[in-house]
Amino acid sequence: NLESLLEMILLVTEIGELKANPKRSAAGTVLETKLDRGRGPVATVLVQDGTLNVGDNIIAGPVVGRVRALIDDRGRPIKSAGPSTPVEVLGLETLPSPGDSFQSVSDPAKARQIAMFRQARAREKSLVAKGSRLTLETLQAQMADGAVKELPIIVKADVQGSAEVLANSLDKLSNDKVKVKIIHSAVGAINESDVLLASASNAIVIGFNVRPDRNAADVAEREKGDIRQHSVIYNVTDEIKKAMTGLLEPVKKEV
């Protein structure tokens, strides 16, 4: 149905008289971001209006940068990207979030001022949210208040078979009060992306025969995330069961 889709897009464009001005400053949306070992922060953006040029100062969400290079959808470097063009942008200081809007600005000082204001706002929101992170210790209290309906869990294991068995075993623990929801299951060490996903979705991270890498451990400590490491599947299911019935002993730390 690709031909029908393209035909419908053209039809909507004609009827809606959708137009863009390639002569104005670029504006658009961040589609995807990644941290490339050789190229640094890379953002895939869609230019929706105006033209983005190499050397432009841009602001994407709370992140500023100067366009060092533009890569088109076929991996070729280009000098500029007009309306309706998806491109990879190199030159941002850090990674923006997918869905953030971006604009090119003529004054780099003004861009940095806007970014600092947005970063302060985001920091305030994260500080408010950190105090309410879900852990297995607080699960029973939230169940009693009627606040928890789902227990989101991220599963990381050393092999695919273990990940599948563990995910299926945990999924079967759902009861009338709490539904266990596996939002991500994969093979490999617990990385920064897993912790950030858990932070965004208020989930518990369970590692089976794997450990968090250094970045993940630092982010988990900063975000107050709950990471559980096990080597026996029955211990994992037993711990979740106890948490769901309020029998889990509190964790004591000696500092």
Side-chain angles (χ1 to χ4, degrees):
N1 261 349
L2 191 57
E3 290 181 3
S4 301
L5 174 63
L6 294 173
E7 186 179 342
M8 188 58 65
I9 290 172
L10 290 174
L11 179 64
V12 170
T13 306
E14 287 176 12
I15 294 174
E17 295 185 357
L18 304 176
K19 298 182 186 299
N21 178 12
K23 295 182 180 179
R24 57 158 287 177
S25 299
T29 304
V30 177
L31 304 179
E32 189 182 359
T33 60
K34 63 182 178 181
L35 192 61
D36 191 283
R37 183 170 292 181
R39 301 184 295 171
V42 180
T44 304
V45 305
L46 176 65
V47 180
Q48 293 170 293
D49 205 359
T51 300
L52 185 64
N53 302 295
V54 173
D56 284 354
N57 297 297
I58 63 169
I59 176 168
V63 179
V64 292
R66 185 181 177 88
V67 180
R68 198 170 70 241
L70 295 171
I71 311 296
D72 70 5
D73 57 314
R74 300 189 181 185
R76 300 173 302 191
I78 56 177
K79 294 293 184 183
S80 61
S84 299
T85 307
V87 287
E88 282 189 340
V89 177
L90 279 64
L92 293 169
E93 292 183 353
T94 57
L95 292 177
S97 300
D100 283 349
S101 59
F102 80 89
Q103 300 87 26
S104 64
V105 290
S106 56
D107 186 359
K110 185 179 179 182
R112 193 165 294 279
Q113 187 179 4
I114 295 170
M116 288 176 66
F117 174 74
R118 290 179 179 176
Q119 288 168 10
R121 291 287 298 275
R123 204 175 297 118
E124 287 173 11
K125 286 184 180 178
S126 68
L127 287 173
V128 171
K130 276 182 186 177
S132 59
R133 291 276 180 248
L134 180 66
T135 65
L136 292 185
E137 280 72 34
T138 60
L139 174 63
Q140 181 62 24
Q142 294 192 29
M143 283 169 56
D145 296 337
V148 174
K149 300 296 181 187
E150 283 186 342
L151 175 58
I153 291 178
I154 295 171
V155 174
K156 294 299 291 283
D158 54 344
V159 292
Q160 186 64 38
S162 297
E164 289 177 1
V165 171
L166 188 53
N168 290 334
S169 301
L170 292 173
D171 198 38
K172 292 175 183 175
L173 295 179
S174 299
N175 57 35
D176 55 345
K177 289 185 178 180
V178 182
K179 181 181 184 298
V180 176
K181 183 180 180 183
I182 308 298
I183 61 173
H184 181 58
S185 176
V187 175
I190 299 167
N191 56 37
E192 188 177 349
S193 298
D194 299 322
V195 178
L196 291 174
L197 174 61
S199 175
S201 53
N202 212 15
I204 310 292
V205 182
I206 292 179
F208 185 76
N209 282 334
V210 293
R211 298 177 60 83
D213 59 31
R214 183 177 295 177
N215 287 344
D218 292 343
V219 173
E221 187 176 349
R222 188 172 71 244
E223 297 289 333
K224 310 295 183 191
D226 194 9
I227 297 179
R228 303 280 169 151
Q229 295 167 234
H230 290 278
S231 57
V232 180
I233 286 181
Y234 300 109
N235 289 349
V236 182
T237 55
D238 190 44
E239 184 176 55
I240 299 297
K241 264 186 204 171
K242 286 181 177 179
M244 292 168 68
T245 53
L247 300 175
L248 191 68
E249 292 292 324
V251 174
K252 295 178 182 177
K253 283 187 178 179
E254 186 175 329
V255 180

